[in-house]
Amino acid sequence: MTHPTTTTPSPLTHFDAEGQAHMVDVAAKASTHRVAVAEGRITMEPATLALIQSGSAKKGDVLGIARIAGIQGAKKTSDLIPLCHPIALTRVAVEFEVEAATNSVLCRSTAECTGQTGVEMEALTACSVALLTIYDMCKAVDRGMIIGGVRLMEKRGGKSGHFVAG
């Protein structure tokens, strides 16, 4: 399939005027403090949540290991997302909230840097990897867990300004 060549710039920043994928040039952008917060949830059977809360899961401290995995995931984002810039992160935090009423664990991740491009992908990756780690550590007792709702909650810094999810 061939695509017609166009000279109209794409509203998608990772495509050039000819529609070819490229890494966005951020050289002319100002270095600013940037923060992104993402969240997502994993829902499970009540017995699985009880194992996580008691710390008696066969593989160990599920939330502690998931926290470290999320931080590591943020640091590896540019290795996983092809056109994502490597970023010198200044902070990554991964927090969990056990929600017994919904048999779920809410994950909230925050990524920060001072640089020329944002940290949204790092926050989203941290959250996703943390949730996947919970799944991996508990799949022997509950293969029906559901990961969902991973989204950007807030972004600060940079030319596009402040964003808060509605």
Side-chain angles (χ1 to χ4, degrees):
M1 172 186 268
T2 60
H3 298 281
T5 302
T6 178
T7 56
T8 306
S10 171
L12 301 175
T13 59
H14 286 94
F15 294 97
D16 64 17
E18 286 76 43
Q20 302 297 309
H22 72 105
M23 189 176 215
V24 175
D25 182 359
V26 297
K29 291 173 80 177
S31 232
T32 62
H33 180 240
R34 297 163 185 265
V35 179
V37 179
E39 76 174 26
R41 173 183 320 277
I42 185 165
T43 306
M44 61 200 68
E45 293 295 324
T48 309
L49 188 61
L51 275 175
I52 290 171
Q53 287 181 286
S54 71
S56 60
K58 195 171 189 176
K59 292 184 179 181
D61 176 11
V62 173
L63 298 183
I65 293 168
R67 179 176 290 107
I68 298 298
I71 292 167
Q72 191 167 357
K75 292 166 46 176
K76 296 284 188 181
T77 299
S78 67
D79 291 336
L80 299 169
I81 311 296
L83 301 176
C84 194
H85 290 85
I87 292 179
L89 294 166
T90 57
R91 176 176 176 259
V92 177
V94 177
E95 300 167 351
F96 300 103
E97 188 177 320
V98 173
E99 298 180 339
T102 59
N103 297 312
S104 64
V105 176
L106 176 72
C107 176
R108 185 169 288 112
S109 59
T110 303
E112 295 187 38
C113 78
T114 299
Q116 295 168 292
T117 190
V119 288
E120 295 97 315
M121 295 309 299
E122 287 71 14
L124 288 162
T125 300
C127 185
S128 299
V129 170
L131 293 170
L132 287 167
T133 299
I134 293 170
Y135 186 95
D136 179 55
M137 293 188 71
C138 298
K139 69 182 182 278
V141 297
D142 188 355
R143 293 197 187 272
M145 291 175 282
I146 299 170
I147 294 171
V150 176
R151 66 185 185 138
L152 182 68
M153 298 303 297
E154 184 177 7
K155 178 214 92 76
R156 290 184 302 232
K159 190 170 107 178
S160 64
H162 193 182
F163 164 83
V164 177

